[in-house]
């Protein structure tokens, strides 16, 4: 049973991409060329055997297809919905070079994995108990994927999560027109159905339990703490009501109910994917005027172009080459943002200070980093708050591994899953004296 209220604001959204009917899936699967050394596989961070799972759909082996996907990526169901396939597998499909539509890999993956999930299929069992214990810090996709892999190899796992929900940003961040929070938590329950993973919710590592204590009690530690809170700008008016971080606001409307009564215009500051999600969400929730304000021009924004295009078509306005100077308002509430117009060198142009009406201002200029939490642990090195690890997720401390956003600086769910799994295999190898079990 989901812990999420059924009345939460995100439920007003419907899937932006509809699923396939059996006939559509079959037709699309038969278009695939089943390439050798397929570029789509190389583009997938979890290296799913894409031609293999598509061929299994084409031959009516739906369960086998799902198994192929989950064997590589245990979050295959949500990744089918949330992966930026346009720049990964679908973007690499050979059909792009042939002036023909690429194979809809995400939709086919969703067709196979949804069917398995709805049937309650299980593919993997826990391995024989190894007697080793691993602590996983954070309950996002990186830690959960790592825990699943460790359980397959027989190691006992404990996840420490500061919040009351598992799934990290997959639950609280992903746009609801891609996947709602309840689907994310159901998937987590399904993954942890492998059994033997102790989950300790409401435990903040660093505050309620120290990494030093965990090092004493566990054979290895996987750090999957993600990024920190939204970065904010200390500008005049920063304490006005209605000025807040975008990730915090997104989590609030995905997991609960928010009121946008009286919000006629909203401004999102930033040009990345969180900013683009936020403007689409504000528009979808009925805010009449939504503006995305970015310090570069449209060609320089880091948000995916295909996502921004949808926002633009919906009527979201882009305000380019601007930098916020102050939030303005009356009676303690924000009412506008004053910007400086920037020139090509990103320098303010004297006398050009556009003011944009805003009853709500969301800051989407990045999230903070781990910083102090692990900085003083022996063998841990940080680069601007990002944990430094090798290709297998090892830090210089032989007992500590890491993966996901806290180590890669903030990528996608599929990267977190790949890195969590890779680190789990390395942990297993170390715990078993050099032989992966
Ligand atoms: C708004 C937004 C939209 C996104 N949309 C997409 C998308 O459409 N597709 C996609 O693939 N990716 C998307 N992403 C990125 C994706 O969600 C992340 O890359 C992924 O969730 C990272 O997984 P993780 O496990 O490394 O970290 P997280 O998902 O951040 O999980 C970390 C967990 O650690 C917990 N934690 C933090 N500190 C502590 C502590 N001290 N003690 C205990 N627990 C702690 C947190 O509460 C959290 O649950 C989005 C991100 C954002 C912000
Ligand atoms: S590149 Fe395209 S055609 Fe080739 S295997 Fe992958 S999906 Fe099929």
């Amino acid at each position: 049973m989901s812990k999420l209220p059924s009345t939460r604001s995100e439920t007003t959204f419907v899937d932006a991409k509809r699923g396939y009917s059996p006939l559509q899936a079959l037709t699309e699967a038969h278009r695939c060329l089943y390439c050798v050394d397929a570029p789509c596989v190389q583009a997938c961070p979890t290296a799913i055997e894409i031609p293999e799972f598509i061929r299994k759909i084409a031959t009516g082996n739906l369960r086998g297809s799902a198994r192929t996907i989950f064997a590589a990526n245990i979050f295959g169901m949500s990744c089918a919905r949330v992966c930026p396939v346009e720049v990964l597998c679908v973007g690499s499909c050979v059909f792009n070079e042939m002036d023909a539509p690429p194979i809809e890999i995400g939709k086919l993956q969703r067709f196979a994995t949804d069917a398995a999930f709805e049937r309650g299929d299980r593919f993997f069992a826990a391995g024989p108990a190894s007697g080793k214990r691993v602590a996983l810090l954070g309950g996002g996709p990186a830690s959960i994927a790592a825990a699943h892999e460790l359980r397959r190899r027989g190691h006992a796992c404990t996840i420490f999560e500061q919040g009351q929900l598992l799934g990290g940003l997959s639950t609280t961040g992903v746009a609801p027109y891609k996947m709602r929070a309840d689907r994310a938590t159901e998937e987590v329950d399904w993954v942890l159905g492998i059994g033997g993973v102790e989950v300790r919710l409401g435990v903040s590592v660093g505050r309620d339990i120290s990494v030093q204590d965990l090092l004493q009690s566990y054979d290895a530690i996987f750090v999957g703490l993600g990024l920190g809170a939204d970065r904010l700008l200390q500008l005049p008016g920063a304490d006005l009501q209605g000025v807040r971080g975008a990730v915090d606001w997104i989590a609030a409307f995905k997991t609960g109910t928010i009121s946008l009564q009286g919000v006629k215009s909203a401004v999102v500051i930033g040009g990345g994917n969180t900013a683009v999600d936020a403007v689409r969400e504000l528009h979808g929730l009925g805010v009449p005027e939504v503006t995305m304000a970015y310090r570069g021009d449209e060609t320089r924004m880091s948000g995916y172009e295909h996502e921004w295009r949808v926002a633009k078509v919906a009527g979201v306005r882009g305000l380019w080459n601007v930098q916020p100077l102050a939030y303005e308002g009356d009676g303690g509430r924000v009412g506008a943002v004053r910007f400086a117009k920037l020139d090509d060198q990103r320098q303010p142009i004297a006398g050009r200070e556009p003011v944009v009406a805003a009853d709500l201002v969301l800051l989407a200029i990045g999230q903070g980093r781990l910083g102090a939490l692990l900085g003083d642990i022996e063998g841990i090195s940080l680069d601007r708050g990002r944990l430094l690890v090798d290709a297998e997720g090892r830090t210089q401390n032989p007992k500590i591994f890491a993966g996901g956003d806290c180590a890669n600086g903030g990528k996608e769910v599929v990267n977190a899953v790949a890195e969590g799994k890779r680190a789990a295999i390395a942990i297993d190898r170390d715990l078993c004296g050099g032989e992966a079990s």
Side-chain angles (χ1 to χ4, degrees), residues 21-35:
S21 69
L23 183 60
Q24 286 172 319
L26 206 60
T27 310
E28 186 67 356
H30 276 293
R31 262 194 344 114
C32 179
L33 302 174
Y34 313 123
C35 307

Side-chain angles (χ1 to χ4, degrees), residues 82-84 138-143 160-163 165 167-170 173-175 178 203-205 224-227 247 250 274 277 367 373 403-406 411-414 416:
V82 311
C83 259
S143 287
F160 296 89
E161 164 58 47
Q162 65 183 1
L165 291 169
L169 287 169
S170 181
V174 162
K178 296 183 190 166
V203 179
S204 176
V205 178
L225 292 171
L227 300 174
V247 175
I250 290 169
T274 298
D277 279 4
Q367 294 169 255
L373 184 57
D405 281 2
C406 67
K411 289 188 175 170
E412 311 286 349
V413 172
V414 68

Side-chain angles (χ1 to χ4, degrees), residues 31-35 38-40 50-51 54 92-95 103 105:
R31 262 194 344 114
C32 179
L33 302 174
Y34 313 123
C35 307
C40 55
I50 293 167
I54 296 181
S92 310
C93 174
V94 293
F95 277 113
I103 301 294
I105 301 166

Side-chain angles (χ1 to χ4, degrees), residues 29 50 55 96 105 189 233 235 247 289 340 362 366 413:
I50 293 167
R55 191 191 289 274
N96 291 297
I105 301 166
D189 290 347
L233 292 170
L235 299 175
V247 175
E289 281 206 10
L362 299 181
V413 172

